[in-house]
Amino acid sequence: MSVKKVFLPEREIPRQWYNIQADMPTPLQPALHPQTQKPVGPDDLLPIFPLNLIEQEVSTARWIDIPEEVLEKLLIWRPTPLQRASALEKYLQTPAKIYFKNEGVSPAGSHKPNTAIPQVYYNKVAGTKRLTTETGAGQWGCALGLGCTLFGLECKVYMVRVSYEQKPYRRLMMKTWGAECIPSPSRETEFGRKMLAKDPQTSGSLGMAIGEAVEEAVTSDDTKYSLGSVLNHVMLHQTIVGLEAQKQLKMVGEYPDVLIGCVGGGSNFAGLSFPFIRDKIHGRELQVVAVESTACPTLTRGPFAYDFGDTAAKTPLLPMFTLGHNFLPRSIHAGGLRYHGMSPLISQLTLDRLIESRAYNQLQAYAAGVLFAQTEGLVCAPETNHAIAAVIEEAKKAKEEGKEKTILFNLSGHGLLDLPGYDAYLNGKLEEYILSEEEIRESLKDLESFPRPMI
Amino acid sequence: MSVKKVFLPEREIPRQWYNIQADMPTPLQPALHPQTQKPVGPDDLLPIFPLNLIEQEVSTARWIDIPEEVLEKLLIWRPTPLQRASALEKYLQTPAKIYFKNEGVSPAGSHKPNTAIPQVYYNKVAGTKRLTTETGAGQWGCALGLGCTLFGLECKVYMVRVSYEQKPYRRLMMKTWGAECIPSPSRETEFGRKMLAKDPQTSGSLGMAIGEAVEEAVTSDDTKYSLGSVLNHVMLHQTIVGLEAQKQLKMVGEYPDVLIGCVGGGSNFAGLSFPFIRDKIHGRELQVVAVESTACPTLTRGPFAYDFGDTAAKTPLLPMFTLGHNFLPRSIHAGGLRYHGMSPLISQLTLDRLIESRAYNQLQAYAAGVLFAQTEGLVCAPETNHAIAAVIEEAKKAKEEGKEKTILFNLSGHGLLDLPGYDAYLNGKLEEYILSEEEIRESLKDLESFPRPMI
């Protein structure tokens, strides 16, 4: 019987994260203070993040030790299995070998706890008693709730009101872990009260929820804020995914020709790909594909520009591919792909042609997800389905070309709490959707007054 | 760092199931035909099950080969990890070591696919094109849907109407796998139409759903019926759980002093415990604890008697601990523990004092589940929480006695689709409930006319 799954024994778990800032051909351009337009310093970020995480954010050390206390918690589900989609290969009659890293086995069901756990740990070390964050569909709120219960910190999650009401399961997961999850906008912050005064019936937005979470962190002494994607230290923490995958592939004598992951803010993609991109920088031939939604085509249709990381325009200006911080992507089931910007690290690597990008619409994504579920048995998150659509395209291409390629993708999360999306797809209720050039142009107008990064 | 998790490499996966019928001190008493009261033969069962599964049901061979085609599908998620609940140990300040087998990592989220996959395979080999079954909360329906999509059989699941309406996620999972799931009673069977004529507003019951599923199997040529618990071949298929656990414990130099699992029909408990009970039969000292719900205390308060396996009174009479086939347990969130009877194998082993039993109410179970979630991070199925309540009791006892015991339990499933139950518990909406002696006496009256098994 051929190999279906590779377990990495836990004594083999990587002991260091890989920091791609040490190897990038073009260094990252600095984040800018929105008022002074000068590079931000640690002091600008201290009201929000603890110093140890700010240091990680700007570090250029190649390897950063994973603390024992963090490893101990990651070992609850890590190393995650490397699996082979042999039934899908057979169905497609492709000569390609398809491997995937299964991040859906975490207690929260996605890759997000890989960074939630170290973030909570570093906050605890720095004396933080309480963390706030925002969440849309709930994946990140759950991950942070998990991290906080494991280290004994308090956790408060502002969840976009419409999701809070329509998607109860993830908020119940947070509650089970002892986190407080409240609908945003709320009466608990000044910003929330302002939003409610404007429109008492508002369904909320991620921008508003960030505004509330940051306000609470800034105005309390023992409270900090925690972010689940985009930033450098988040990408760093996720590299354990790719580092494990490298060891596992070595165990079966493989190395990928094509690497695929979906991108919203970029963290699961960075986690899988950065350790391999290091090899590519050093001459290894490798195709690296970031897959986004056509409803939010940041890398494929946005410019590389300075822009706010959040809709509330409170963060520093980040150099990244963006559709503009006021861009409101159409509601799609893959909530994790609805971020207007892109991790600056992924953006720079895309500029340097180390990463290519591609977009699929949700009909293509669900068709791929259903085929995967019916052949491999695993029901994936709608975000992951975008990656699978690209995997299937590559596998078909390999068949046409008669090439025995090895494809590796990141199964970033399971879809057991996203089944209503599958239902809508199977009932023919989902639509394809392509943004018009005008919509994009309109949304980018906000950026005109900002400084321009080098390209 | 001490061991947190033991992976069994997939080349080490057990290649045979263990059949405890070969080693039981007292052989199983035969199932009886309800009319003739004579032992049933294969011919009586052929309209429902294929011959190869009937042969497994009555086999006394000690080891039965797992077909390669079945192994290939089990390898999607097996071997499952053996994990250590070190954070729970620390919280309890117990000298006991607590290990568990994590069956929640299967694509359907529970141990049920361990038997769904071989059952579908054997049916396929026997020429069956289509399988029917019933499901309550949906765990078994999902598992069979998974098995059918992996082997290309059609699948039709009759789901109790009230669950169909109140618990949409699992039926959407079945649909994603291509299974047909319809609310029962339905207009598609004579029995269903009869039930609807009696009460068009009926919310359905497991008994009605079984009646419909069996009728459809009996009246079609290429359709058979599939059962997810109670029967010997189901227990057999589940033994892969305990066989893996034995190998994994050996890898870390451990052997359990106490073995714990929750019981409804008995399959997850049998799966973990039977290979260890073999050692016990051969002289090994070992405490084996079956944990049930006080709402359905079959082993702890029922008699050992001949009774129907189903509420519709269509199956052969089985020798087992039972509360009577018309016993309707109060609605609790642990739907999998609401079975009126008990696997005949587990019943006989209980009579022979190889298994002891214990019952917890749902408040105790959820309290244990929440503590487990907040220390170990994993949210377990409400059924599993009953086992965890017993684990915690044993760990506390070990502390009082100052004994360094090793406890092993079966984490039979995750609770991500059962979060409303946690919510009800955390909001103080659940009640403790103890059956009265009168209720049990009343429900056992039906059995008086049946033959009595030997005790």
Side-chain angles (χ1 to χ4, degrees):
Chain A
M1 211 158 5
S2 66
V3 170
K4 184 73 188 165
K5 207 163 45 328
V6 184
F7 290 127
L8 190 68
E10 67 176 32
R11 64 176 181 279
E12 298 283 334
I13 194 169
R15 305 280 166 155
Q16 297 182 309
W17 292 298
Y18 168 61
N19 183 3
I20 203 163
Q21 294 200 62
D23 290 307
M24 288 169 82
T26 314
L28 215 52
Q29 298 179 55
L32 302 182
H33 193 286
Q35 272 79 55
T36 66
Q37 305 202 342
K38 297 243 167 82
V40 290
D43 286 356
D44 297 314
L45 300 171
L46 270 175
I48 309 183
F49 300 117
L51 186 60
N52 48 15
L53 281 176
I54 297 172
E55 284 167 354
Q56 271 190 0
E57 182 67 14
V58 298
S59 170
T60 53
R62 180 168 292 114
W63 298 101
I64 293 179
D65 287 349
I66 307 178
E68 284 286 297
E69 295 85 343
V70 169
L71 274 175
E72 192 188 306
K73 300 306 179 191
L74 293 178
L75 284 175
I76 291 173
W77 76 96
R78 302 207 72 84
T80 61
L82 177 79
Q83 304 190 211
R84 182 156 174 199
S86 42
L88 177 63
E89 291 168 19
K90 202 171 161 189
Y91 177 89
L92 296 172
Q93 297 181 292
T94 177
K97 288 185 254 182
I98 303 173
Y99 288 93
F100 59 94
K101 194 67 175 149
N102 188 353
E103 292 295 304
V105 300
S106 86
S110 80
H111 66 291
K112 291 286 184 193
N114 295 332
T115 186
I117 282 173
Q119 286 194 47
V120 174
Y121 169 76
Y122 286 113
N123 268 287
K124 185 176 181 169
V125 167
T128 309
K129 300 287 180 224
R130 201 149 158 282
L131 282 170
T132 65
T133 197
E134 75 291 336
T135 199
Q139 284 282 22
W140 171 240
C142 284
L144 195 67
L146 171 66
C148 284
T149 191
L150 295 179
F151 285 112
L153 261 67
E154 285 177 51
C155 182
K156 184 158 174 188
V157 180
Y158 290 90
M159 186 168 184
V160 177
R161 181 176 296 273
V162 59
S163 297
Y164 184 93
E165 283 161 4
Q166 289 178 0
K167 300 184 172 177
Y169 277 72
R170 289 213 178 88
R171 74 171 151 85
L172 298 182
M173 207 192 294
M174 296 176 222
K175 186 173 175 180
T176 301
W177 283 324
E180 187 185 357
C181 175
I182 62 167
S184 166
S186 74
R187 307 223 141 268
E188 307 203 8
T189 65
E190 203 176 310
F191 182 67
R193 289 188 291 273
K194 209 169 95 186
M195 293 295 112
L196 285 171
K198 235 193 221 172
D199 176 8
Q201 304 304 318
T202 176
S203 58
S205 74
L206 212 49
M208 293 185 203
I210 295 177
E212 291 204 277
V214 169
E215 179 185 321
E216 186 166 345
V218 170
T219 55
S220 342
D221 276 348
D222 57 357
T223 302
K224 297 282 179 197
Y225 168 76
S226 189
L227 193 67
S229 193
V230 183
L231 299 181
N232 305 340
H233 67 274
V234 179
M235 306 297 135
L236 175 79
H237 300 155
Q238 292 291 354
T239 59
I240 194 167
V241 177
L243 293 167
E244 284 179 7
Q246 287 184 323
K247 290 187 171 201
Q248 288 164 311
L249 285 167
K250 208 169 171 186
M251 286 166 74
V252 289
E254 299 272 13
Y255 194 93
D257 300 295
V258 190
L259 215 73
I260 295 172
C262 62
V263 284
S267 74
N268 94 76
F269 174 79
L272 181 70
S273 67
F274 283 7
F276 290 92
I277 291 178
R278 180 180 181 226
D279 296 346
K280 188 171 178 174
I281 291 170
H282 292 100
R284 177 67 95 154
E285 202 170 319
L286 173 65
Q287 192 186 356
V288 184
V289 186
V291 184
E292 51 190 18
S293 160
T294 54
C296 193
T298 317
L299 283 172
T300 49
R301 298 179 67 192
F304 181 70
Y306 268 114
D307 192 9
F308 288 111
D310 65 330
T311 316
K314 291 191 174 180
T315 69
L317 293 168
L318 302 173
M320 61 182 179
F321 283 89
T322 178
L323 294 166
H325 59 275
N326 283 317
F327 177 73
L328 196 66
R330 178 171 282 217
S331 169
I332 55 168
H333 282 281
L337 304 188
R338 295 178 72 242
Y339 182 63
H340 70 274
M342 181 56 61
S343 142
L345 288 171
I346 292 175
S347 296
Q348 187 60 54
L349 293 165
T350 298
L351 274 185
D352 288 343
R353 297 175 181 272
L354 288 161
I355 295 171
E356 62 189 86
S357 52
R358 204 178 288 177
Y360 294 90
N361 68 55
Q362 60 180 351
L363 293 185
Q364 295 169 310
Y366 274 108
V370 168
L371 177 58
F372 193 78
Q374 295 193 354
T375 52
E376 290 297 325
L378 297 166
V379 178
C380 297
E383 292 82 357
T384 306
N385 289 344
H386 290 73
I388 297 175
V391 168
I392 292 172
E393 188 176 318
E394 289 300 321
K396 285 180 175 169
K397 204 196 287 175
K399 186 184 172 184
E400 283 161 25
E401 295 172 352
K403 277 192 192 159
E404 221 191 77
K405 279 183 196 171
T406 299
I407 302 170
L408 171 63
F409 77 96
N410 201 4
L411 195 163
S412 56
H414 68 62
L416 298 188
L417 300 185
D418 306 290
L419 286 161
Y422 280 87
D423 194 39
Y425 168 73
L426 293 168
N427 290 336
K429 287 187 183 158
L430 294 190
E431 283 175 3
E432 189 177 343
Y433 176 61
I434 308 287
L435 284 179
S436 69
E437 286 298 328
E438 286 86 331
E439 284 174 284
I440 294 180
R441 260 201 306 275
E442 191 58 35
S443 145
L444 291 174
K445 278 191 183 153
D446 294 329
L447 309 186
E448 285 168 10
S449 63
F450 298 163
R452 300 278 163 91
M454 285 178 300
I455 296 185
Chain B
M1 211 160 2
S2 67
V3 170
K4 184 73 189 167
K5 207 159 46 333
V6 184
F7 290 127
L8 189 67
E10 67 176 33
R11 64 176 180 279
E12 298 281 333
I13 194 169
R15 305 277 165 156
Q16 297 181 308
W17 292 298
Y18 168 60
N19 183 4
I20 203 164
Q21 294 199 63
D23 290 306
M24 289 170 81
T26 314
L28 215 51
Q29 297 179 56
L32 302 182
H33 193 286
Q35 272 80 54
T36 66
Q37 306 203 341
K38 297 243 167 80
V40 290
D43 287 355
D44 297 314
L45 300 171
L46 270 175
I48 310 184
F49 300 117
L51 187 59
N52 49 14
L53 282 176
I54 297 171
E55 283 167 356
Q56 270 190 1
E57 181 67 16
V58 297
S59 170
T60 53
R62 182 169 290 113
W63 299 101
I64 293 179
D65 287 348
I66 307 178
E68 282 286 297
E69 295 85 344
V70 169
L71 274 176
E72 192 189 306
K73 300 306 178 191
L74 294 177
L75 284 176
I76 291 174
W77 75 98
R78 304 208 71 86
T80 61
L82 177 80
Q83 304 190 212
R84 183 156 173 198
S86 42
L88 177 64
E89 291 169 19
K90 203 171 161 189
Y91 176 90
L92 296 171
Q93 298 180 291
T94 176
K97 289 184 255 184
I98 303 173
Y99 287 93
F100 59 93
K101 192 71 173 148
N102 188 353
E103 293 295 305
V105 300
S106 86
S110 81
H111 67 291
K112 291 285 183 192
N114 295 334
T115 185
I117 282 173
Q119 285 194 48
V120 175
Y121 169 77
Y122 286 114
N123 269 285
K124 186 177 181 171
V125 167
T128 308
K129 302 287 179 222
R130 203 150 158 279
L131 282 169
T132 65
T133 197
E134 76 291 336
T135 198
Q139 284 281 22
W140 171 241
C142 284
L144 196 66
L146 171 66
C148 284
T149 190
L150 295 179
F151 284 111
L153 262 67
E154 287 176 50
C155 182
K156 183 157 174 188
V157 180
Y158 289 89
M159 187 168 183
V160 177
R161 182 176 297 273
V162 60
S163 297
Y164 183 92
E165 282 160 5
Q166 290 178 0
K167 301 186 174 175
Y169 277 71
R170 289 213 177 88
R171 75 171 149 85
L172 297 182
M173 206 191 297
M174 295 177 222
K175 188 173 173 179
T176 302
W177 282 323
E180 186 184 359
C181 175
I182 62 168
S184 165
S186 75
R187 305 224 143 268
E188 306 202 9
T189 65
E190 202 175 311
F191 183 65
R193 288 188 292 273
K194 206 168 98 186
M195 292 297 113
L196 285 171
K198 234 191 219 172
D199 176 8
Q201 304 304 320
T202 177
S203 57
S205 74
L206 212 50
M208 290 185 206
I210 295 177
E212 290 202 278
V214 169
E215 180 187 321
E216 187 168 344
V218 170
T219 55
S220 343
D221 276 348
D222 58 357
T223 303
K224 297 283 180 194
Y225 168 76
S226 188
L227 193 67
S229 193
V230 183
L231 299 181
N232 305 339
H233 66 276
V234 178
M235 307 296 136
L236 175 77
H237 299 155
Q238 292 291 352
T239 58
I240 194 166
V241 177
L243 293 167
E244 284 179 7
Q246 287 183 322
K247 289 187 170 200
Q248 288 164 311
L249 286 167
K250 210 171 171 185
M251 285 166 74
V252 289
E254 299 272 14
Y255 193 94
D257 299 296
V258 190
L259 215 72
I260 294 173
C262 61
V263 284
S267 74
N268 94 76
F269 174 79
L272 181 70
S273 67
F274 282 7
F276 291 92
I277 291 177
R278 180 178 182 225
D279 296 346
K280 187 170 179 176
I281 291 169
H282 292 99
R284 176 69 95 149
E285 202 170 320
L286 173 65
Q287 193 186 356
V288 184
V289 186
V291 184
E292 53 190 16
S293 161
T294 54
C296 194
T298 317
L299 283 172
T300 49
R301 298 179 67 193
F304 181 71
Y306 268 114
D307 193 8
F308 287 110
D310 65 331
T311 315
K314 291 190 172 180
T315 71
L317 292 168
L318 301 173
M320 61 183 178
F321 283 89
T322 178
L323 294 166
H325 59 275
N326 283 316
F327 177 73
L328 196 66
R330 177 171 282 219
S331 170
I332 55 168
H333 282 281
L337 304 187
R338 294 178 72 242
Y339 183 64
H340 70 274
M342 181 56 61
S343 142
L345 288 170
I346 292 175
S347 296
Q348 187 61 54
L349 294 165
T350 299
L351 273 185
D352 288 345
R353 298 176 180 273
L354 288 161
I355 296 171
E356 62 189 84
S357 53
R358 203 179 289 178
Y360 294 90
N361 68 56
Q362 58 180 352
L363 293 185
Q364 296 168 309
Y366 274 107
V370 168
L371 177 59
F372 193 76
Q374 296 194 353
T375 51
E376 290 296 325
L378 297 166
V379 179
C380 297
E383 292 83 356
T384 306
N385 289 344
H386 290 74
I388 297 175
V391 168
I392 292 172
E393 188 175 318
E394 289 300 319
K396 286 181 176 168
K397 204 195 290 175
K399 186 184 173 185
E400 282 161 26
E401 295 171 352
K403 277 191 191 159
E404 220 192 78
K405 277 183 197 171
T406 299
I407 301 171
L408 171 63
F409 77 96
N410 201 4
L411 194 164
S412 56
H414 69 62
L416 298 188
L417 299 186
D418 306 290
L419 285 160
Y422 280 86
D423 193 40
Y425 168 72
L426 292 168
N427 289 336
K429 287 186 182 158
L430 294 189
E431 283 176 2
E432 188 176 345
Y433 176 62
I434 308 287
L435 284 179
S436 71
E437 287 297 329
E438 286 86 330
E439 284 173 284
I440 294 180
R441 259 202 305 276
E442 190 59 34
S443 145
L444 291 174
K445 278 189 183 156
D446 294 328
L447 309 185
E448 284 168 10
S449 63
F450 297 162
R452 300 279 163 90
M454 284 180 299
I455 297 186

